[in-house]
Amino acid sequence: MRIRTIQENAAAAPQTIARPRSLELFAGAGGMALGLHAAGFEHAALVEFEPKACATLGHNAALWQARNGSVPPWKVTAVHLADVRDFDFRSELGHGELDLVAGGPPCQPFSLGGVHAGMNDPRNMFPAALALVRDLRPKLVLFENVAGLLRSGFFPYFEYVEAQLHDPLCAPGDDEDWHRHRDRLARRRAGNSGERYYVTRQLLNAADFGVPQLRNRVFLMAIRADLSDVPIPPLLATHSEAVLLNDQWVSGLYWERHGLALPAGAPASARAATRSVTTSAQLPWRTVRDAISGLPEPVDGVESPSASSHVGIPGARSYAGHTGSEIDRPSKTIKAGVHGVCGGEAMIRYSDGRLRYMTVREAARIQTFPDNYEFVGARSHAMRQIGNAVPVELAAAVGRHMRASAGL
């Protein structure tokens, strides 16, 4: 299955006289920004604190400018290396209403792989993001973060974030801790005052939206109350595991698509899972094999002449908790890692037991970045940028859904 180029994504995006304007916070390597552009948004500014990720945003903007492609996802001048707490948004954004504030506040404070400091972690950027919502009052707000926010230890704080989105003009006092502010917000809501946004919380698996990866993330989608009297409805999945299993073990279409013979011995669980699949309108989950189809077999230490950042890495090995991703299933979650590349998820396991590392280009395809998107820095930097990103196709699905809900 071929990944569309950036130019093709731009051409396929909804074309309007004036695209709705968005502000991208914590932009990282641009996964969410690319997806929102494909959904029809124009990025007024992208703000990123990490120098290599910000360099990736600027580098690709310069490439689009040199190629003279149609409707580049963002301009070089829209990219800003800055801390969102210090950035002068008013002067950079200029006049005119902002349609969307989007971003994924750093997830390490709430990640299962982190130190679990949560709201007490200095990297917790929710207060800064919410302060911008109060100041800019966009029509829509989109926050993405790890599913760990729904764990019991962090959930009260997550509900507090939601409460602030409902009533952003009720700002915390200088000496008011978050518990007291949360209680004050609850009293205002109980008194039917202060409702400014309707907020929808949804846990989404990227595989359910055409991304070849099992990646669960929580999304907050908010719409200003003067635009709608109801919250944004939940997204409906477009892809399913049952259809994939049916294509693999009942119809055999999956193997036919890849020019392979149907393997013997279909697992009983697969057949049981597909009994209800008859005329499903959903598409099959995409697999690792689907994602990397068309790329040449990587050679260790040698850059591919036909695919950028496609260099084989020797030494892949399996150990407890790091067994790789099966080639005929969606990938495990691609992660950034705390101290470097997270190797266990960045490996491919073949049906004969063979194991190898994913190349940077393969990992980028797993995150649905287009093939002409380039990452600045060594492999470790590139893989960290890819692992931190929102999958492009998932961001596009969410963006289209929010646009339709707001009538933009």
Side-chain angles (χ1 to χ4, degrees):
M1 190 173 293
R2 190 173 69 87
I3 304 296
R4 292 188 305 191
T5 66
I6 290 172
Q7 287 82 3
E8 288 171 324
N9 276 326
Q15 300 296 316
T16 59
I17 295 175
R19 284 173 167 243
R21 297 173 73 230
S22 69
L23 166 64
E24 183 83 11
L25 308 175
F26 322 107
M32 180 180 281
L34 279 171
L36 291 176
H37 173 79
F41 287 93
E42 176 187 356
H43 300 303
L46 298 88
V47 183
E48 172 53 42
F49 180 73
E50 203 285 312
K52 285 289 193 300
C54 194
T56 290
L57 298 173
H59 172 71
N60 283 282
L63 288 178
W64 298 320
Q65 184 172 309
R67 295 178 186 130
N68 293 317
S70 61
V71 193
W74 53 82
K75 299 176 182 178
V76 175
T77 54
V79 177
H80 302 274
L81 176 63
D83 187 319
V84 299
R85 295 169 293 189
D86 305 323
F87 190 65
D88 186 355
F89 287 92
R90 285 293 181 186
S91 63
E92 292 295 338
L93 293 175
H95 300 289
E97 189 172 25
L98 194 66
D99 295 288
L100 172 68
V101 167
C107 66
Q108 289 85 353
F110 306 97
S111 173
L112 288 170
V115 294
H116 309 167
M119 64 291 292
N120 300 314
D121 194 306
R123 296 170 297 178
N124 176 18
M125 290 290 116
F126 274 115
L130 289 162
L132 280 168
V133 173
R134 289 189 191 98
D135 184 37
L136 300 174
R137 294 294 312 281
K139 295 177 181 177
L140 298 166
V141 181
L142 173 62
F143 290 153
E144 177 266 357
N145 217 289
V146 293
L149 272 168
L150 302 180
R151 287 184 291 156
S152 59
F154 297 142
F155 190 60
Y157 185 79
F158 188 48
E159 288 186 307
Y160 169 57
V161 169
E162 288 182 306
Q164 290 181 86
L165 265 184
H166 279 295
D167 189 2
L169 298 186
C170 179
D174 292 339
D175 298 320
E176 186 177 39
D177 67 21
W178 74 267
H179 295 90
R180 293 203 304 272
H181 187 216
R182 177 193 60 188
D183 294 342
R184 184 158 61 91
L185 286 162
R187 288 194 297 272
R188 282 170 60 92
R189 195 169 186 188
N192 294 318
S193 65
E195 186 86 31
R196 298 294 186 273
Y197 286 83
Y198 292 104
V199 183
T200 300
R201 177 207 314 154
Q202 190 170 5
L203 183 64
L204 299 177
N205 182 356
D208 290 338
F209 298 89
V211 178
Q213 180 184 181
L214 300 170
R215 187 183 189 93
N216 290 302
R217 292 294 185 267
V218 63
F219 286 78
L220 288 180
M221 297 172 281
I223 185 168
R224 214 169 59 199
D226 63 308
L227 299 176
S228 174
D229 57 3
V230 294
I232 294 172
L235 275 77
L236 299 178
T238 56
H239 295 64
S240 82
E241 179 182 25
V243 178
L244 170 64
L245 293 173
N246 185 78
D247 282 6
Q248 288 178 327
W249 303 110
V250 178
S251 71
L253 288 174
Y254 174 83
W255 311 106
E256 181 180 328
R257 186 164 67 246
H258 289 289
L260 299 171
L262 177 69
S269 58
R271 290 193 179 279
T274 63
R275 283 176 188 148
S276 61
V277 176
T278 53
T279 59
S280 173
Q282 291 179 325
L283 298 170
W285 270 1
R286 296 184 62 224
T287 68
V288 174
R289 192 187 296 275
D290 289 327
I292 68 175
S293 178
L295 287 173
E297 186 72 15
V299 178
D300 288 349
V302 178
E303 178 71 73
S304 169
S306 60
S308 67
S309 302
H310 190 52
V311 181
I313 306 295
R317 62 186 182 88
S318 177
Y319 53 97
H322 295 77
T323 57
S325 296
E326 296 178 28
I327 191 166
D328 293 312
R329 294 276 298 168
S331 167
K332 295 179 179 179
T333 304
I334 301 291
K335 299 176 183 175
V338 178
H339 303 293
V341 177
C342 222
E345 293 78 13
M347 296 189 297
I348 300 174
R349 179 174 291 279
Y350 292 84
S351 56
D352 61 3
R354 184 165 55 96
L355 193 70
R356 69 166 177 83
Y357 283 120
M358 291 179 187
T359 68
V360 169
R361 182 51 53 199
E362 288 170 332
R365 280 197 174 190
I366 293 293
Q367 285 279 60
T368 58
F369 280 96
D371 281 350
N372 58 351
Y373 200 80
E374 299 180 0
F375 300 89
V376 172
R379 170 181 160 82
S380 60
H381 296 125
M383 292 295 284
R384 191 175 297 117
Q385 292 173 47
I386 292 168
N388 274 328
V390 178
V392 175
E393 290 298 327
L394 178 57
V398 175
R400 286 190 292 266
H401 183 67
M402 293 185 71
R403 276 196 70 186
S405 298
L408 297 180

